[in-house]
Amino acid sequence: MDDGRQKIQLKLALEHGSEGEALRPEPQGTEASMAERVSESLAEGEQLMERTCERGNLKRALARVKRNKGSAGVDGMSVNALPGYLKEHWPRIRERLLAGRYGPRPVKRVEIDKREGGGKRKLGIPCVLDRFIQQALLQVLQPIFEPSFAESSYGFRPGRSAHQAVAQAQTYIARGYHWVVDLDLEKFFDRVNHDFLMGRVAKRVQDKRVLKLIRSYLEAGVMEHGSVSETEEGTPQGGPLSPLLSNILLTDLDRELEHRGHCFVRYADDCNVYVKSARAGQRVKASLTRFLATRLKLKVNEAKSAVAQPWQRKFLGFSFTGGETLKRRIAPQALLRFKQRVRELSSRTQGRALREVVQRLAPYLRGWRGYFGFCETPSVLRDLERWIRRRLRSLVWKQWKRGRRRFAALVARGVDRKLAAQTAGSAHGPWQLAVSPALHIALPNTLFVALGLPRLYVTPTA
């Protein structure tokens, strides 16, 4: 009953002009009344904030924020606490949004290891309330900007994916574009010029309250180690609006590449241009470096950018095979990260039983397979499956510790006593013995299937 009552109260709080709000008398001149008078005189293109605050749009935004979960921001509010907070405070927040007076809180700075290694990536986590408002705003702005984006842009767009970007790159290579200009934008999300970005947003957004709100998110500041610093440039990674804003700015790059007639694929700030010779690649790289610096105030990271053949580079975690048969393969760096993560999740120092280890591995393996299963080299996936099972057998062998216990465990699992004695007394280490006949009998592949260990390679159905 309490949950049902809370949902009804939240529904009333989010609904514009709801009975719950109408029962509250507002004195003349309040933000709410001013906002109502302003909205009546606004043209259709200037009513984006009203559309942002519509009940249906807010319900979708709340559902998305709850689904995405995520950490708390500087105010410590969790995603689970957001509905209750909105039930009590949304009418006042809505008044401030409609009056153009809402101010977001600073984002919380966190650092994560870069996927490719070699340092940390800085993320900015907005408060849950600001994530909710950004998501509601994104849902209104996305349809406005989507038609203006380039066909070769794939990142963070409805109906588009990293797999489509990789497949398009493969198409260019198959057509004879055997050299790639791999551009890495140096600290892109930290270097975005606010004035340039807002100028491009203002070309399609007339509602000054929305423009003011977007700029306030860009300039909200960052809290790190207890102190807040101003943000004069950049768009923090971590908020729902950041991917859209990056696409808006980098559309200038897309149009320039289209104007020059280049074959290219861009996914967020990861851009690959495909050409037919190394010399052409060097010319393109030099001219694009100048274009990005002069037009967008962005710097190319020379250490990470290159002109090379596609099978020598990685793109969104994938690479390609050389030779006559062109296939998608998993980039070596991605394979190293995979093995490192599996080692972390199956560390024997944690003292977990085999079933618990498999339960910890399963979500990661399913997610990894969902993305990298797109490769066209199934033998690599089968090799990884064998490596994981070998690691798990090695883990169990270490847990059995001594000869007597190992002998008893092997016999109990159907191993011949003579073979069990030979294996238990072997001087070989766990990794070598993990591929022994005795351990394959004691810990067969069917056991891992029964425990719920996901397969990485699934045979395609006809």
Side-chain angles (χ1 to χ4, degrees):
M1 290 295 291
D2 290 343
D3 290 342
R5 187 180 300 111
Q6 181 172 342
K7 289 180 180 179
I8 294 174
Q9 290 173 327
L10 178 57
K11 174 181 176 181
L12 293 175
L14 294 180
E15 187 170 6
H16 171 57
S18 68
E19 182 180 357
E21 289 184 56
L23 291 175
R24 299 183 181 184
E26 294 285 356
Q28 190 70 20
T30 62
E31 290 181 358
S33 60
M34 286 190 291
E36 294 297 333
R37 291 199 300 272
V38 169
S39 65
E40 290 177 2
S41 63
L42 291 175
E44 178 66 23
E46 297 175 314
Q47 294 183 346
L48 292 184
M49 190 61 81
E50 280 72 17
R51 289 166 55 188
T52 299
C53 294
E54 285 179 354
R55 174 173 166 258
N57 188 55
L58 295 173
K59 287 181 65 178
R60 292 194 300 275
L62 181 61
R64 174 58 66 89
V65 170
K66 290 169 67 176
R67 187 162 60 249
N68 289 346
K69 300 179 181 179
S71 303
V74 296
D75 61 355
M77 184 191 301
S78 67
V79 172
N80 292 334
L82 179 61
Y85 182 86
L86 291 174
K87 181 189 70 172
E88 182 177 356
H89 299 285
W90 177 249
R92 176 177 55 84
I93 297 169
R94 176 178 168 276
E95 290 172 6
R96 290 161 57 195
L97 286 168
L98 293 175
R101 296 182 179 178
Y102 178 83
R105 297 195 179 191
V107 299
K108 182 172 72 174
R109 174 73 79 208
V110 297
E111 293 184 344
I112 62 172
D113 293 329
K114 290 186 176 181
R115 293 180 60 185
E116 59 277 4
K120 299 285 186 178
R121 185 183 304 279
K122 293 183 177 181
L123 298 181
I125 302 179
C127 296
V128 174
L129 173 62
D130 286 320
R131 295 211 294 271
F132 167 68
I133 295 172
Q134 283 193 39
Q135 180 63 39
L137 190 57
L138 171 67
Q139 293 167 181
V140 171
L141 294 178
Q142 186 93 48
I144 295 173
F145 285 96
E146 183 63 26
S148 69
F149 292 153
E151 185 65 25
S152 295
S153 167
Y154 290 88
F156 307 107
R157 296 180 59 189
R160 288 174 170 252
S161 68
H163 287 172
Q164 292 174 335
V166 174
Q168 183 59 62
Q170 186 176 9
T171 299
Y172 290 140
I173 300 167
R175 284 166 46 187
Y177 293 87
H178 289 170
W179 289 86
V180 59
V181 182
D182 187 353
L183 292 175
D184 184 276
L185 300 180
E186 187 172 291
K187 298 182 178 179
F188 169 72
F189 286 94
D190 296 332
R191 298 278 174 84
V192 171
N193 184 287
H194 291 172
D195 291 334
F196 276 136
L197 175 57
M198 291 308 303
R200 282 147 184 77
V201 175
K203 289 181 179 179
R204 289 182 173 267
V205 173
Q206 300 176 0
D207 193 324
K208 290 181 172 55
R209 298 165 298 174
V210 171
L211 294 173
K212 181 180 178 182
L213 181 60
I214 294 174
R215 184 176 278 276
S216 70
Y217 276 121
L218 293 174
E219 299 176 347
V222 174
M223 177 173 285
E224 191 171 16
H225 306 304
S227 61
V228 178
S229 57
E230 296 181 355
T231 46
E232 298 179 354
E233 61 179 5
T235 169
Q237 296 184 70
L241 273 179
S242 291
L244 174 66
L245 296 177
S246 69
N247 276 334
I248 291 171
L249 183 64
L250 289 175
T251 294
D252 280 23
L253 172 61
D254 298 340
R255 296 308 178 197
E256 179 68 16
L257 290 168
E258 288 178 336
H259 177 72
R260 299 183 186 186
H262 286 307
C263 297
F264 73 97
V265 181
R266 184 177 65 79
Y267 192 95
D269 61 332
D270 200 342
C271 183
N272 279 4
V273 185
Y274 295 88
V275 295
K276 292 192 173 182
S277 70
R279 181 176 295 182
Q282 294 296 346
R283 288 198 304 269
V284 169
K285 180 175 177 291
S287 62
L288 289 179
T289 298
R290 289 193 299 270
F291 172 82
L292 288 164
T294 55
R295 287 284 297 274
L296 300 181
K297 305 299 181 185
L298 295 172
K299 184 178 180 181
V300 171
N301 187 330
E302 293 291 343
K304 295 184 178 180
S305 301
V307 176
Q309 294 188 294
W311 35 90
Q312 297 173 327
R313 305 293 292 178
K314 65 180 178 66
F315 181 53
L316 302 177
F318 291 92
S319 186
F320 303 94
T321 58
E324 295 182 1
T325 305
L326 178 68
K327 292 183 178 180
R328 296 183 298 271
R329 66 183 178 93
I330 304 169
Q333 300 92 322
L335 292 175
L336 290 174
R337 288 196 300 272
F338 171 80
K339 288 191 172 182
Q340 178 59 34
R341 185 57 179 151
V342 170
R343 290 187 184 100
E344 293 170 357
L345 292 171
S346 60
S347 173
R348 73 185 185 95
T349 60
Q350 298 169 348
R352 290 186 172 89
L354 180 60
R355 181 180 297 277
E356 293 180 83
V357 174
V358 170
Q359 289 175 348
R360 281 170 56 84
L361 281 171
Y364 174 71
L365 296 180
R366 283 193 291 267
W368 192 90
R369 179 189 64 194
Y371 185 75
F372 286 103
F374 187 60
C375 75
E376 296 175 312
T377 51
S379 61
V380 174
L381 299 178
R382 288 193 287 265
D383 287 345
L384 289 176
E385 286 183 349
R386 285 192 286 269
W387 177 82
I388 292 171
R389 290 193 295 266
R390 183 176 180 179
R391 177 165 177 81
L392 293 177
R393 290 186 179 107
S394 174
L395 173 68
V396 173
W397 189 250
K398 291 175 183 177
Q399 290 178 343
W400 287 344
K401 292 185 178 180
R402 292 181 175 82
R404 286 187 178 182
R405 182 178 177 186
R406 288 170 173 173
F407 173 78
L410 291 174
V411 171
R413 286 163 174 78
V415 179
D416 175 80
R417 295 180 67 87
K418 183 178 179 180
L419 179 59
Q422 291 174 346
T423 307
S426 173
H428 291 302
W431 186 248
Q432 289 83 356
L433 289 173
V435 293
S436 67
L439 279 178
H440 273 267
I441 295 171
L443 303 170
N445 293 353
T446 53
L447 170 65
F448 297 112
V449 173
L451 291 174
L453 185 70
R455 297 291 304 273
L456 296 183
Y457 175 69
V458 180
T459 305
T461 57

